[in-house]
Amino acid sequence: MPPKTKPQDHLPPKGTPKLITIRGVELSVDPEMFDDLDLLDTLDQVNEGNGLRLAGGLPRVTGDKFSKVREALRDPETGRIPLEVAREFFIEVMESIVPNS
């Protein structure tokens, strides 16, 4: 009889990036990056309404795709990136990587 498998047997190895596409931008995000007190502090402050923390948190999460993310979030009429739109994107990334967060 084969040994019983445990659910964690089916998980990707630690450090394996997860590919996600949000608002047309494909990102490769390592879920392990969220095992970081500084990033969690940023996330907490964003959740509490401090949109200014997005300026530091979003580039850390999106890496070399940050400029593509900025263009995807930019309002074509005003040329600006509204903080609420950036916050929503940030939350979408988090929910895609850590669904139970």
Side-chain angles (χ1 to χ4, degrees), residues 2-93:
K4 290 185 178 182
T5 60
K6 299 176 185 174
Q8 60 266 31
D9 292 344
H10 304 289
L11 295 175
K14 283 190 172 195
T16 301
K18 185 172 181 181
L19 294 175
I20 59 172
T21 301
I22 300 187
R23 300 190 187 203
V25 180
E26 186 174 288
L27 301 170
S28 174
V29 182
D30 181 358
E32 293 296 309
M33 83 169 19
F34 298 104
D35 185 18
D36 176 359
L37 186 61
D38 290 329
L39 185 56
L40 291 177
D41 179 56
T42 298
L43 294 172
D44 182 52
Q45 289 192 34
V46 168
N47 279 336
E48 293 296 319
N50 185 353
L52 296 176
R53 292 300 302 260
L54 284 168
L58 202 52
R60 288 181 64 188
V61 173
T62 60
D64 63 349
K65 300 287 180 133
F66 182 57
S67 62
K68 288 186 179 189
V69 168
R70 289 171 58 108
E71 290 312 309
L73 301 179
R74 190 173 307 281
D75 182 314
E77 292 180 21
T78 66
R80 295 189 310 248
I81 303 169
L83 282 177
E84 183 59 24
V85 172
R87 186 184 78 76
E88 289 169 1
F89 180 89
F90 199 61
I91 290 170
E92 288 177 50
V93 170

